[in-house]
Amino acid sequence: MPISLRRRRWALYALFLLPGLSMSAWVTRTPAVRDLLDASTAQMGLVLFGLSVGSMAGILSSGPLVMRLGTRPVVAAGSALIVIAMPTIAVGAASGMPLLTAVGLALFGAGMGGGEVAMNVEGADVERLGGRPFLPALHGCFSLGTVIGASLGILANAVQFSVVADPLQIAVAGAALLAWALRAIPSGVGLITAAQRAEQAAAPRPALWKDTRLVLIGGIVLAMALAEGTANDWLPLIMVDGHGFGATMGSTVFALFAASMTIGRFCGGPIVARVGRARVLMVSALFAAVGLALISFVDSQPVAVAAVVLWGLGASLGFPLALSAAGDSGPNPAARVALASTIGYLAFLVGPPTLGLLGEEVGLRGALVVPLAVVLVGVALAPASGARK
């Protein structure tokens, strides 16, 4: 019996909720983890590099695996790695072992990077069959997961709940979500059969990386991934070290960022349908740039809180809209989404260590000039995401 689009949508909502929930469970505890590891800003950047390496490994392997196996097994493997990563990170932090913590983050990155490409291919298929925007709301569930996880993290920080017990609970909940949702992911989506591969080999097309428009879209993905990833990696520490907030308030500000992302993604679909993808992307990138600039250059806690809202709203639509543009930029959407994602995930590879090392010298607020500059480039590239003519 065919799986209904409605059932597939709800399954994908749950699967996107899982990495968001897990990510914020980590992010909101980064000040506590930093203290347990007794790590400097530069050392934390190297710990976070584990997340970057895992993400790149996942993203580079995901496209070929989806084309050979379909989305379902790749989604299952990626989500399972996220579940396994949580207790690994917890044990590494609690035992004061930066390397084990980095290994846990690498597992998490591999699961999120690999699984997300497959889920985006699946989501793009649902979007195509349904005939209306779906990816913004789908990524909204990731942000909703970060809101829920951040809220739990705030509570855990406030009552000094164990850094070990918190991720373990998230892992149990994640395993349950995965078991429920995987049954609604059909087999064969994104799969390219041996016959199709032979046909493509017999009539080769220009390499995708030679598609100028696709590469420009990849640049937008990179800019917006850096805007979002900077917050996921550093926002609580920026608020604590750069603006003088306590750990609980730093987590609360991250929750505000996550809530802004969630609102932007759930409300973005109708706006995109009305005014167009390219215009929405341009305005979103400008919002993110203004937020980053205010946090970096203005030494004021109230301004920083307000700027986080702008940053979150601005970053909310960039990644999903750019991936949607990549998917419909030509034939073989799975490979196109994978290529654009690979370009974008370079931000996750170089971002954490770069900002950590730079932050050691000029402070984390000063280091924000790097994502600010890249997001401004994304503003200039936004017209490339328009409808294909």
Side-chain angles (χ1 to χ4, degrees):
M1 180 182 295
I3 301 170
S4 69
L5 280 182
R6 182 174 180 274
R7 179 75 175 89
R8 288 175 69 183
R9 287 192 185 99
W10 279 105
L12 285 169
Y13 286 151
L15 289 168
F16 262 78
L17 189 77
L18 168 58
L21 186 66
S22 304
M23 172 65 81
S24 60
W26 152 254
V27 172
T28 54
R29 305 309 298 275
T30 49
V33 171
R34 188 261 309 269
D35 293 343
L36 286 173
L37 297 177
D38 194 25
S40 67
T41 300
Q43 289 168 336
M44 277 299 290
L46 293 175
V47 170
L48 288 166
F49 190 58
L51 180 63
S52 306
V53 171
S55 296
M56 283 304 297
I59 203 79
L60 290 172
S61 62
S62 183
L65 287 173
V66 167
M67 287 184 279
R68 187 168 293 273
L69 304 174
T71 56
R72 192 173 192 274
V74 182
V75 168
S79 300
L81 281 176
I82 291 173
V83 171
I84 295 169
M86 297 310 294
T88 307
I89 294 169
V91 172
S95 58
M97 298 174 63
L99 180 59
L100 183 58
T101 307
V103 168
L105 287 169
L107 291 173
F108 183 90
M112 190 169 73
E116 187 170 339
V117 170
M119 288 191 287
N120 276 301
V121 172
E122 178 74 21
D125 186 61
V126 171
E127 187 174 75
R128 178 182 60 81
L129 293 173
R132 57 189 173 90
F134 174 59
L135 285 176
L138 185 58
H139 282 260
C141 283
F142 174 89
S143 297
L144 178 61
T146 63
V147 172
I148 296 170
S151 300
L152 294 174
I154 293 166
L155 180 61
N157 278 326
V159 301
Q160 297 183 330
F161 193 60
S162 168
V163 174
V164 176
D166 194 15
L168 289 177
Q169 292 177 346
I170 297 296
V172 171
L177 275 176
L178 174 59
W180 175 82
L182 193 59
R183 293 176 294 177
I185 303 301
S187 300
V189 175
L191 177 68
I192 296 179
T193 65
Q196 289 172 321
R197 287 196 295 271
E199 182 181 342
Q200 290 176 0
R205 296 190 177 100
L208 286 180
W209 61 266
K210 295 181 179 179
D211 186 327
T212 302
R213 178 169 179 253
L214 180 59
V215 172
L216 292 177
I217 291 170
I220 301 170
V221 176
L222 186 149
M224 302 314 291
L226 185 59
E228 182 177 347
T230 298
N232 289 337
D233 289 333
W234 294 107
L235 186 54
L237 287 175
I238 291 169
M239 293 297 118
V240 171
D241 294 349
H243 282 285
F245 288 103
T248 300
M249 190 60 191
S251 297
T252 303
V253 173
F254 174 76
L256 181 62
F257 173 85
S260 302
M261 290 272 291
T262 304
I263 292 168
R265 284 175 168 171
F266 279 120
C267 297
I271 298 173
V272 174
R274 175 168 294 187
V275 305
R277 186 166 54 207
R279 290 179 180 175
V280 172
L281 256 176
M282 184 178 294
V283 173
S284 294
L286 282 171
F287 270 42
V290 171
L292 283 162
L294 289 173
I295 291 172
S296 179
F297 298 122
V298 180
D299 187 13
S300 166
Q301 289 186 344
V303 170
V305 171
V308 162
V309 175
L310 284 176
W311 185 359
L313 289 174
S316 63
L317 294 173
F319 198 76
L321 288 183
L323 287 182
S324 180
D328 66 16
S329 64
N332 202 347
R336 289 175 175 273
V337 170
L339 177 61
S341 299
T342 301
I343 296 172
Y345 268 79
L346 289 173
F348 295 138
L349 180 64
V350 303
T354 299
L355 292 177
L357 292 170
L358 186 58
E360 188 77 12
E361 298 299 323
V362 300
L364 285 173
R365 284 174 53 195
L368 289 180
V369 297
V370 174
L372 172 59
V374 175
V375 169
L376 288 174
V377 173
V379 174
L381 297 179
S385 66
R388 193 178 183 211
K389 297 180 180 178

